[in-house]
PDB file of all heavy atoms in Angstrom:
ATOM      1  N   VAL W 158       5.349 -37.704  -7.835  1.00  0.00           N
ATOM      2  CA  VAL W 158       5.138 -36.369  -8.454  1.00  0.00           C
ATOM      3  C   VAL W 158       5.016 -35.305  -7.368  1.00  0.00           C
ATOM      4  O   VAL W 158       5.573 -34.218  -7.454  1.00  0.00           O
ATOM      5  CB  VAL W 158       3.924 -36.412  -9.361  1.00  0.00           C
ATOM      6  CG1 VAL W 158       3.517 -34.955  -9.750  1.00  0.00           C
ATOM      7  CG2 VAL W 158       4.181 -37.214 -10.615  1.00  0.00           C
ATOM      8  N   THR W 162       7.595 -32.008  -7.024  1.00  0.00           N
ATOM      9  CA  THR W 162       7.191 -30.628  -7.069  1.00  0.00           C
ATOM     10  C   THR W 162       7.438 -29.897  -5.785  1.00  0.00           C
ATOM     11  O   THR W 162       7.382 -28.654  -5.754  1.00  0.00           O
ATOM     12  CB  THR W 162       5.694 -30.534  -7.449  1.00  0.00           C
ATOM     13  OG1 THR W 162       4.909 -31.300  -6.515  1.00  0.00           O
ATOM     14  CG2 THR W 162       5.454 -31.100  -8.849  1.00  0.00           C
ATOM     15  N   PRO W 196       7.324 -34.609 -16.887  1.00  0.00           N
ATOM     16  CA  PRO W 196       6.811 -33.238 -16.819  1.00  0.00           C
ATOM     17  C   PRO W 196       7.044 -32.555 -15.488  1.00  0.00           C
ATOM     18  O   PRO W 196       7.470 -31.367 -15.434  1.00  0.00           O
ATOM     19  CB  PRO W 196       5.301 -33.397 -17.107  1.00  0.00           C
ATOM     20  CG  PRO W 196       5.199 -34.675 -17.863  1.00  0.00           C
ATOM     21  CD  PRO W 196       6.267 -35.551 -17.282  1.00  0.00           C
ATOM     22  N   SER W 197       6.806 -33.230 -14.380  1.00  0.00           N
ATOM     23  CA  SER W 197       7.004 -32.666 -13.075  1.00  0.00           C
ATOM     24  C   SER W 197       8.500 -32.518 -12.751  1.00  0.00           C
ATOM     25  O   SER W 197       8.921 -31.540 -12.093  1.00  0.00           O
ATOM     26  CB  SER W 197       6.319 -33.468 -11.958  1.00  0.00           C
ATOM     27  OG  SER W 197       6.751 -34.828 -12.012  1.00  0.00           O
ATOM     28  N   THR W 200       9.701 -29.504 -14.547  1.00  0.00           N
ATOM     29  CA  THR W 200       9.162 -28.338 -13.825  1.00  0.00           C
ATOM     30  C   THR W 200      10.011 -28.003 -12.613  1.00  0.00           C
ATOM     31  O   THR W 200      10.332 -26.815 -12.364  1.00  0.00           O
ATOM     32  CB  THR W 200       7.683 -28.573 -13.387  1.00  0.00           C
ATOM     33  OG1 THR W 200       6.893 -28.810 -14.550  1.00  0.00           O
ATOM     34  CG2 THR W 200       7.151 -27.385 -12.601  1.00  0.00           C
ATOM     35  N   ARG W 204      12.110 -24.620 -11.896  1.00  0.00           N
ATOM     36  CA  ARG W 204      11.935 -23.779 -10.719  1.00  0.00           C
ATOM     37  C   ARG W 204      13.264 -23.571  -9.963  1.00  0.00           C
ATOM     38  O   ARG W 204      13.519 -22.460  -9.461  1.00  0.00           O
ATOM     39  CB  ARG W 204      10.911 -24.390  -9.744  1.00  0.00           C
ATOM     40  CG  ARG W 204       9.492 -24.192 -10.242  1.00  0.00           C
ATOM     41  CD  ARG W 204       8.456 -24.780  -9.361  1.00  0.00           C
ATOM     42  NE  ARG W 204       7.098 -24.389  -9.746  1.00  0.00           N
ATOM     43  CZ  ARG W 204       6.016 -25.060  -9.463  1.00  0.00           C
ATOM     44  NH1 ARG W 204       6.077 -26.196  -8.816  1.00  0.00           N
ATOM     45  NH2 ARG W 204       4.859 -24.607  -9.847  1.00  0.00           N
ATOM     46  N   GLY W 222       9.349 -29.830 -20.409  1.00  0.00           N
ATOM     47  CA  GLY W 222       8.338 -30.530 -19.600  1.00  0.00           C
ATOM     48  C   GLY W 222       7.025 -30.628 -20.308  1.00  0.00           C
ATOM     49  O   GLY W 222       6.345 -31.697 -20.242  1.00  0.00           O
ATOM     50  N   GLN W 223       6.612 -29.588 -20.990  1.00  0.00           N
ATOM     51  CA  GLN W 223       5.327 -29.668 -21.732  1.00  0.00           C
ATOM     52  C   GLN W 223       5.453 -30.596 -22.923  1.00  0.00           C
ATOM     53  O   GLN W 223       4.493 -31.328 -23.230  1.00  0.00           O
ATOM     54  CB  GLN W 223       4.924 -28.275 -22.170  1.00  0.00           C
ATOM     55  CG  GLN W 223       3.467 -28.215 -22.661  1.00  0.00           C
ATOM     56  CD  GLN W 223       2.994 -26.764 -22.834  1.00  0.00           C
ATOM     57  OE1 GLN W 223       3.304 -26.107 -23.807  1.00  0.00           O
ATOM     58  NE2 GLN W 223       2.197 -26.294 -21.870  1.00  0.00           N
ATOM     59  N   GLY W 226       4.908 -34.041 -21.680  1.00  0.00           N
ATOM     60  CA  GLY W 226       3.550 -34.403 -21.319  1.00  0.00           C
ATOM     61  C   GLY W 226       2.608 -33.210 -21.403  1.00  0.00           C
ATOM     62  O   GLY W 226       2.490 -32.413 -20.470  1.00  0.00           O
ATOM     63  N   ALA W 227       2.016 -33.051 -22.567  1.00  0.00           N
ATOM     64  CA  ALA W 227       1.177 -31.828 -22.793  1.00  0.00           C
ATOM     65  C   ALA W 227      -0.038 -31.775 -21.886  1.00  0.00           C
ATOM     66  O   ALA W 227      -0.570 -30.693 -21.672  1.00  0.00           O
ATOM     67  CB  ALA W 227       0.680 -31.845 -24.250  1.00  0.00           C
ATOM     68  N   GLN W 228      -0.447 -32.913 -21.274  1.00  0.00           N
ATOM     69  CA  GLN W 228      -1.623 -32.898 -20.414  1.00  0.00           C
ATOM     70  C   GLN W 228      -1.264 -32.522 -18.961  1.00  0.00           C
ATOM     71  O   GLN W 228      -2.157 -32.320 -18.162  1.00  0.00           O
ATOM     72  CB  GLN W 228      -2.278 -34.279 -20.447  1.00  0.00           C
ATOM     73  CG  GLN W 228      -2.671 -34.779 -21.831  1.00  0.00           C
ATOM     74  CD  GLN W 228      -3.649 -33.868 -22.504  1.00  0.00           C
ATOM     75  OE1 GLN W 228      -4.602 -33.426 -21.868  1.00  0.00           O
ATOM     76  NE2 GLN W 228      -3.428 -33.609 -23.786  1.00  0.00           N
ATOM     77  N   SER W 229       0.033 -32.468 -18.667  1.00  0.00           N
ATOM     78  CA  SER W 229       0.420 -32.145 -17.296  1.00  0.00           C
ATOM     79  C   SER W 229       0.306 -30.664 -17.011  1.00  0.00           C
ATOM     80  O   SER W 229       0.735 -29.837 -17.797  1.00  0.00           O
ATOM     81  CB  SER W 229       1.862 -32.608 -17.034  1.00  0.00           C
ATOM     82  OG  SER W 229       2.338 -32.174 -15.785  1.00  0.00           O
ATOM     83  N   GLU W 230      -0.256 -30.346 -15.854  1.00  0.00           N
ATOM     84  CA  GLU W 230      -0.390 -28.930 -15.471  1.00  0.00           C
ATOM     85  C   GLU W 230       0.897 -28.298 -14.948  1.00  0.00           C
ATOM     86  O   GLU W 230       1.023 -27.085 -14.872  1.00  0.00           O
ATOM     87  CB  GLU W 230      -1.485 -28.754 -14.406  1.00  0.00           C
ATOM     88  CG  GLU W 230      -1.119 -29.220 -13.024  1.00  0.00           C
ATOM     89  CD  GLU W 230      -1.381 -30.712 -12.768  1.00  0.00           C
ATOM     90  OE1 GLU W 230      -1.463 -31.472 -13.794  1.00  0.00           O
ATOM     91  OE2 GLU W 230      -1.523 -31.090 -11.622  1.00  0.00           O
ATOM     92  N   TRP W 231       1.891 -29.156 -14.579  1.00  0.00           N
ATOM     93  CA  TRP W 231       3.078 -28.619 -13.874  1.00  0.00           C
ATOM     94  C   TRP W 231       3.886 -27.673 -14.756  1.00  0.00           C
ATOM     95  O   TRP W 231       4.273 -26.563 -14.282  1.00  0.00           O
ATOM     96  CB  TRP W 231       3.946 -29.762 -13.340  1.00  0.00           C
ATOM     97  CG  TRP W 231       3.221 -30.545 -12.287  1.00  0.00           C
ATOM     98  CD1 TRP W 231       2.764 -31.816 -12.398  1.00  0.00           C
ATOM     99  CD2 TRP W 231       2.836 -30.069 -11.007  1.00  0.00           C
ATOM    100  NE1 TRP W 231       2.118 -32.186 -11.247  1.00  0.00           N
ATOM    101  CE2 TRP W 231       2.143 -31.141 -10.354  1.00  0.00           C
ATOM    102  CE3 TRP W 231       3.000 -28.866 -10.328  1.00  0.00           C
ATOM    103  CZ2 TRP W 231       1.616 -31.021  -9.068  1.00  0.00           C
ATOM    104  CZ3 TRP W 231       2.478 -28.762  -9.019  1.00  0.00           C
ATOM    105  CH2 TRP W 231       1.800 -29.835  -8.420  1.00  0.00           C
ATOM    106  N   PRO W 232       4.223 -27.996 -16.001  1.00  0.00           N
ATOM    107  CA  PRO W 232       4.966 -27.005 -16.810  1.00  0.00           C
ATOM    108  C   PRO W 232       4.206 -25.708 -17.038  1.00  0.00           C
ATOM    109  O   PRO W 232       4.786 -24.624 -17.064  1.00  0.00           O
ATOM    110  CB  PRO W 232       5.191 -27.764 -18.162  1.00  0.00           C
ATOM    111  CG  PRO W 232       5.110 -29.199 -17.788  1.00  0.00           C
ATOM    112  CD  PRO W 232       4.124 -29.315 -16.698  1.00  0.00           C
ATOM    113  N   ALA W 233       2.885 -25.788 -17.130  1.00  0.00           N
ATOM    114  CA  ALA W 233       2.076 -24.567 -17.281  1.00  0.00           C
ATOM    115  C   ALA W 233       2.128 -23.700 -16.024  1.00  0.00           C
ATOM    116  O   ALA W 233       2.163 -22.487 -16.115  1.00  0.00           O
ATOM    117  CB  ALA W 233       0.624 -24.955 -17.606  1.00  0.00           C
ATOM    118  N   LEU W 234       2.167 -24.336 -14.844  1.00  0.00           N
ATOM    119  CA  LEU W 234       2.290 -23.587 -13.606  1.00  0.00           C
ATOM    120  C   LEU W 234       3.644 -22.897 -13.510  1.00  0.00           C
ATOM    121  O   LEU W 234       3.745 -21.775 -13.018  1.00  0.00           O
ATOM    122  CB  LEU W 234       2.047 -24.487 -12.421  1.00  0.00           C
ATOM    123  CG  LEU W 234       0.641 -25.030 -12.252  1.00  0.00           C
ATOM    124  CD1 LEU W 234       0.526 -26.136 -11.203  1.00  0.00           C
ATOM    125  CD2 LEU W 234      -0.326 -23.884 -11.915  1.00  0.00           C
ATOM    126  N   LEU W 235       4.711 -23.594 -13.980  1.00  0.00           N
ATOM    127  CA  LEU W 235       6.015 -22.945 -14.058  1.00  0.00           C
ATOM    128  C   LEU W 235       5.963 -21.770 -15.019  1.00  0.00           C
ATOM    129  O   LEU W 235       6.532 -20.685 -14.734  1.00  0.00           O
ATOM    130  CB  LEU W 235       7.087 -23.956 -14.478  1.00  0.00           C
ATOM    131  CG  LEU W 235       8.458 -23.370 -14.792  1.00  0.00           C
ATOM    132  CD1 LEU W 235       9.044 -22.647 -13.624  1.00  0.00           C
ATOM    133  CD2 LEU W 235       9.390 -24.551 -15.227  1.00  0.00           C
ATOM    134  N   ALA W 236       5.317 -21.955 -16.129  1.00  0.00           N
ATOM    135  CA  ALA W 236       5.174 -20.863 -17.089  1.00  0.00           C
ATOM    136  C   ALA W 236       4.470 -19.650 -16.496  1.00  0.00           C
ATOM    137  O   ALA W 236       4.799 -18.495 -16.791  1.00  0.00           O
ATOM    138  CB  ALA W 236       4.425 -21.329 -18.348  1.00  0.00           C
ATOM    139  N   LEU W 237       3.485 -19.879 -15.634  1.00  0.00           N
ATOM    140  CA  LEU W 237       2.826 -18.776 -14.919  1.00  0.00           C
ATOM    141  C   LEU W 237       3.825 -18.024 -14.089  1.00  0.00           C
ATOM    142  O   LEU W 237       3.811 -16.771 -14.044  1.00  0.00           O
ATOM    143  CB  LEU W 237       1.710 -19.321 -14.049  1.00  0.00           C
ATOM    144  CG  LEU W 237       0.388 -19.663 -14.734  1.00  0.00           C
ATOM    145  CD1 LEU W 237      -0.564 -20.336 -13.759  1.00  0.00           C
ATOM    146  CD2 LEU W 237      -0.264 -18.401 -15.287  1.00  0.00           C
ATOM    147  N   LEU W 250       3.141 -21.170 -23.600  1.00  0.00           N
ATOM    148  CA  LEU W 250       3.021 -22.507 -22.954  1.00  0.00           C
ATOM    149  C   LEU W 250       1.753 -22.568 -22.142  1.00  0.00           C
ATOM    150  O   LEU W 250       1.108 -23.617 -22.131  1.00  0.00           O
ATOM    151  CB  LEU W 250       4.261 -22.710 -22.038  1.00  0.00           C
ATOM    152  CG  LEU W 250       5.596 -22.720 -22.670  1.00  0.00           C
ATOM    153  CD1 LEU W 250       6.700 -22.963 -21.627  1.00  0.00           C
ATOM    154  CD2 LEU W 250       5.702 -23.781 -23.760  1.00  0.00           C
ATOM    155  N   ILE W 251       1.359 -21.499 -21.478  1.00  0.00           N
ATOM    156  CA  ILE W 251       0.137 -21.464 -20.722  1.00  0.00           C
ATOM    157  C   ILE W 251      -1.082 -21.665 -21.644  1.00  0.00           C
ATOM    158  O   ILE W 251      -1.956 -22.477 -21.403  1.00  0.00           O
ATOM    159  CB  ILE W 251       0.020 -20.123 -19.938  1.00  0.00           C
ATOM    160  CG1 ILE W 251       1.212 -19.921 -19.023  1.00  0.00           C
ATOM    161  CG2 ILE W 251      -1.300 -20.111 -19.132  1.00  0.00           C
ATOM    162  CD1 ILE W 251       1.343 -18.525 -18.499  1.00  0.00           C
ATOM    163  N   TYR W 254      -1.411 -25.145 -22.949  1.00  0.00           N
ATOM    164  CA  TYR W 254      -1.996 -26.070 -22.010  1.00  0.00           C
ATOM    165  C   TYR W 254      -3.494 -25.876 -21.881  1.00  0.00           C
ATOM    166  O   TYR W 254      -4.268 -26.819 -21.844  1.00  0.00           O
ATOM    167  CB  TYR W 254      -1.325 -25.939 -20.642  1.00  0.00           C
ATOM    168  CG  TYR W 254      -2.046 -26.730 -19.557  1.00  0.00           C
ATOM    169  CD1 TYR W 254      -1.866 -28.091 -19.468  1.00  0.00           C
ATOM    170  CD2 TYR W 254      -2.904 -26.110 -18.666  1.00  0.00           C
ATOM    171  CE1 TYR W 254      -2.541 -28.871 -18.514  1.00  0.00           C
ATOM    172  CE2 TYR W 254      -3.600 -26.820 -17.699  1.00  0.00           C
ATOM    173  CZ  TYR W 254      -3.410 -28.214 -17.612  1.00  0.00           C
ATOM    174  OH  TYR W 254      -4.084 -28.927 -16.708  1.00  0.00           O
ATOM    175  N   LEU W 255      -3.913 -24.634 -21.806  1.00  0.00           N
ATOM    176  CA  LEU W 255      -5.344 -24.314 -21.605  1.00  0.00           C
ATOM    177  C   LEU W 255      -6.178 -24.756 -22.792  1.00  0.00           C
ATOM    178  O   LEU W 255      -7.367 -25.002 -22.670  1.00  0.00           O
ATOM    179  CB  LEU W 255      -5.530 -22.833 -21.326  1.00  0.00           C
ATOM    180  CG  LEU W 255      -4.958 -22.317 -19.978  1.00  0.00           C
ATOM    181  CD1 LEU W 255      -5.170 -20.811 -19.892  1.00  0.00           C
ATOM    182  CD2 LEU W 255      -5.645 -23.048 -18.829  1.00  0.00           C
ATOM    183  N   SER W 257      -5.662 -27.517 -24.341  1.00  0.00           N
ATOM    184  CA  SER W 257      -5.713 -28.948 -24.381  1.00  0.00           C
ATOM    185  C   SER W 257      -6.954 -29.470 -23.610  1.00  0.00           C
ATOM    186  O   SER W 257      -7.434 -28.819 -22.665  1.00  0.00           O
ATOM    187  CB  SER W 257      -4.443 -29.559 -23.731  1.00  0.00           C
ATOM    188  OG  SER W 257      -4.395 -29.244 -22.360  1.00  0.00           O
ATOM    189  N   GLY W 259      -9.198 -31.263 -20.919  1.00  0.00           N
ATOM    190  CA  GLY W 259      -8.970 -31.619 -19.523  1.00  0.00           C
ATOM    191  C   GLY W 259      -8.065 -30.646 -18.740  1.00  0.00           C
ATOM    192  O   GLY W 259      -7.589 -30.966 -17.684  1.00  0.00           O
ATOM    193  N   ALA W 260      -7.861 -29.432 -19.330  1.00  0.00           N
ATOM    194  CA  ALA W 260      -7.012 -28.455 -18.615  1.00  0.00           C
ATOM    195  C   ALA W 260      -7.667 -28.124 -17.269  1.00  0.00           C
ATOM    196  O   ALA W 260      -8.856 -27.928 -17.155  1.00  0.00           O
ATOM    197  CB  ALA W 260      -6.885 -27.213 -19.464  1.00  0.00           C
ATOM    198  N   LYS W 261      -6.801 -28.078 -16.219  1.00  0.00           N
ATOM    199  CA  LYS W 261      -7.353 -27.877 -14.904  1.00  0.00           C
ATOM    200  C   LYS W 261      -7.694 -26.393 -14.676  1.00  0.00           C
ATOM    201  O   LYS W 261      -6.956 -25.507 -15.069  1.00  0.00           O
ATOM    202  CB  LYS W 261      -6.323 -28.340 -13.872  1.00  0.00           C
ATOM    203  CG  LYS W 261      -6.095 -29.838 -13.933  1.00  0.00           C
ATOM    204  CD  LYS W 261      -5.317 -30.381 -12.739  1.00  0.00           C
ATOM    205  CE  LYS W 261      -5.269 -31.880 -12.799  1.00  0.00           C
ATOM    206  NZ  LYS W 261      -4.509 -32.462 -11.652  1.00  0.00           N
ATOM    207  N   PRO W 262      -8.826 -26.165 -14.005  1.00  0.00           N
ATOM    208  CA  PRO W 262      -9.282 -24.774 -13.854  1.00  0.00           C
ATOM    209  C   PRO W 262      -8.295 -23.920 -13.040  1.00  0.00           C
ATOM    210  O   PRO W 262      -8.269 -22.708 -13.225  1.00  0.00           O
ATOM    211  CB  PRO W 262     -10.659 -24.909 -13.153  1.00  0.00           C
ATOM    212  CG  PRO W 262     -10.698 -26.292 -12.592  1.00  0.00           C
ATOM    213  CD  PRO W 262      -9.820 -27.137 -13.483  1.00  0.00           C
ATOM    214  N   GLU W 263      -7.532 -24.552 -12.133  1.00  0.00           N
ATOM    215  CA  GLU W 263      -6.596 -23.720 -11.328  1.00  0.00           C
ATOM    216  C   GLU W 263      -5.545 -23.049 -12.187  1.00  0.00           C
ATOM    217  O   GLU W 263      -5.064 -21.980 -11.800  1.00  0.00           O
ATOM    218  CB  GLU W 263      -5.960 -24.541 -10.229  1.00  0.00           C
ATOM    219  CG  GLU W 263      -5.276 -25.807 -10.705  1.00  0.00           C
ATOM    220  CD  GLU W 263      -6.153 -27.039 -10.473  1.00  0.00           C
ATOM    221  OE1 GLU W 263      -7.370 -26.962 -10.692  1.00  0.00           O
ATOM    222  OE2 GLU W 263      -5.569 -28.098 -10.131  1.00  0.00           O
ATOM    223  N   VAL W 264      -5.207 -23.609 -13.332  1.00  0.00           N
ATOM    224  CA  VAL W 264      -4.260 -22.967 -14.242  1.00  0.00           C
ATOM    225  C   VAL W 264      -4.920 -21.739 -14.899  1.00  0.00           C
ATOM    226  O   VAL W 264      -4.297 -20.694 -14.995  1.00  0.00           O
ATOM    227  CB  VAL W 264      -3.744 -23.946 -15.288  1.00  0.00           C
ATOM    228  CG1 VAL W 264      -2.804 -23.223 -16.255  1.00  0.00           C
ATOM    229  CG2 VAL W 264      -3.042 -25.115 -14.639  1.00  0.00           C
TER     230      VAL W 264
END
Side-chain angles (χ1 to χ4, degrees):
V158 168
T162 56
S197 55
T200 298
R204 284 180 170 155
Q223 193 168 79
Q228 305 299 316
S229 172
E230 74 273 22
W231 295 110
L234 292 170
L235 171 57
L237 280 173
L250 299 179
I251 303 166
Y254 172 77
L255 292 177
S257 66
K261 295 192 174 179
E263 53 262 37
V264 178

